[in-house]
Amino acid sequence: MSHKALHRGVARLGVVGAVLTAVVTLAAGTAFAASGTVHTDSGASVTVRSGPHVSSTAVGSVASGTSVNITCQTYGDTVTGKYGTSNIWDKISTGYITDTYVYTGSDDLVAPLCGTGPACSTSGLGDPRSCSQAVTWAINHKTTSYVADYYNRCDHIMGLAYGFPASGSTTAYNHWLAVPSGYKHAGDTNVPAGGLAFFSGGAGHVMISIGGGKFISNDIHGNGTLTETTIAEIKSKWGKPYLGWTQPWFQYNH
């Protein structure tokens, strides 16, 4: 058992009815929201940010011991806090806070994914990793150093993120063309964490969303690197038209 699971499991087990996850129905037929309590060992406040990233603008803070309503959750930067290490961020009324300082009763999602569009799903696709696991892989493999296996191999990297040895497509653009229409969201820039964002122009380009409008892409900040970027940066820096996003469908196993 991980330190995170042990810490949360022991600390939270006896107080399910008190401070954790009072999950409530928002309205008939809608998804659930959740509640939790902010805790820090030092008693310091937790910073609220404009997005699910430590580099996002600080927009406020929440005092330790404060109960918060979590309207939705998303994946962002990996942070280590009181309740272990996680890339889950909680959306509260004023912005985003890392889930590692919020007492929710679970190491996993307790509220719906943020965003009004479809969520990422591997249902029926046979991917070795889930959307969450692929996001974690991408974040954990970020590097500003040259890696030969990353240089000019964006589609290959997407396959690696989802646990395949390769994507099965010859180029990112061919991958886009091969994805069945039911898994495509042409022109939609609201890409859920785990979704694959595609661009045209030559062999094209593809990158994985980590939520909050952020993506992990190779080469954009140096050959063979794997770093955070945005759709706007790819379009402006490389001049590649944006095609849309797809669920993690790979030609490798289809």
Side-chain angles (χ1 to χ4, degrees):
M1 179 180 291
S2 69
H3 172 72
K4 175 183 177 183
L6 179 63
H7 192 150
R8 282 190 169 180
V10 173
R12 295 180 174 186
L13 185 60
V15 288
V16 172
V19 295
L20 96 147
T21 336
V23 178
V24 295
T25 304
L26 291 175
T30 63
F32 293 103
S35 64
T37 304
V38 173
H39 285 299
T40 61
D41 286 329
S42 66
S45 297
V46 173
T47 301
V48 181
R49 299 192 179 277
S50 60
H53 305 280
V54 294
S55 60
S56 297
T57 304
V59 294
S61 62
V62 179
S64 182
T66 301
S67 295
V68 292
N69 290 319
I70 303 168
T71 57
C72 63
Q73 292 175 295
T74 190
Y75 299 105
D77 289 347
T78 299
V79 176
T80 298
K82 179 177 176 64
Y83 298 116
T85 300
S86 176
N87 63 345
I88 296 174
W89 288 66
D90 303 335
K91 178 69 168 64
I92 62 174
S93 60
T94 53
Y96 294 84
I97 54 176
T98 169
D99 189 58
T100 60
Y101 288 108
V102 183
Y103 197 75
T104 64
S106 174
D107 289 346
D108 298 315
L109 299 178
V110 295
L113 282 168
C114 299
T116 57
C120 177
S121 173
T122 57
S123 178
L125 297 181
D127 295 1
R129 294 195 182 108
S130 67
C131 296
S132 173
Q133 290 170 334
V135 168
T136 298
W137 184 96
I139 291 173
N140 288 345
H141 284 78
K142 287 192 300 182
T143 179
T144 56
S145 300
Y146 176 84
V147 177
D149 199 37
Y150 296 165
Y151 177 51
N152 206 28
R153 305 193 73 192
C154 59
D155 201 49
H156 171 67
I157 296 167
M158 298 304 100
L160 296 180
Y162 274 95
F164 293 109
S167 76
S169 300
T170 55
T171 66
Y173 185 61
N174 285 341
H175 186 168
W176 167 263
L177 294 177
V179 176
S181 59
Y183 297 110
K184 281 182 179 176
H185 301 271
D188 185 4
T189 57
N190 182 30
V191 188
L196 307 182
F198 286 85
F199 299 79
S200 60
H205 184 62
V206 62
M207 58 188 184
I208 185 171
S209 168
I210 58 173
K214 297 282 189 177
F215 299 80
I216 300 293
S217 171
N218 66 317
D219 297 345
I220 188 64
H221 297 133
N223 290 343
T225 61
L226 197 63
T227 56
E228 288 187 19
T229 186
T230 62
I231 290 174
E233 184 176 29
I234 299 293
K235 291 169 64 177
S236 63
K237 190 170 181 178
W238 284 346
K240 289 185 176 294
Y242 178 66
L243 292 169
W245 70 274
T246 74
Q247 298 289 3
W249 183 99
F250 290 90
Q251 211 158 22
Y252 183 85
N253 66 333
H254 288 88

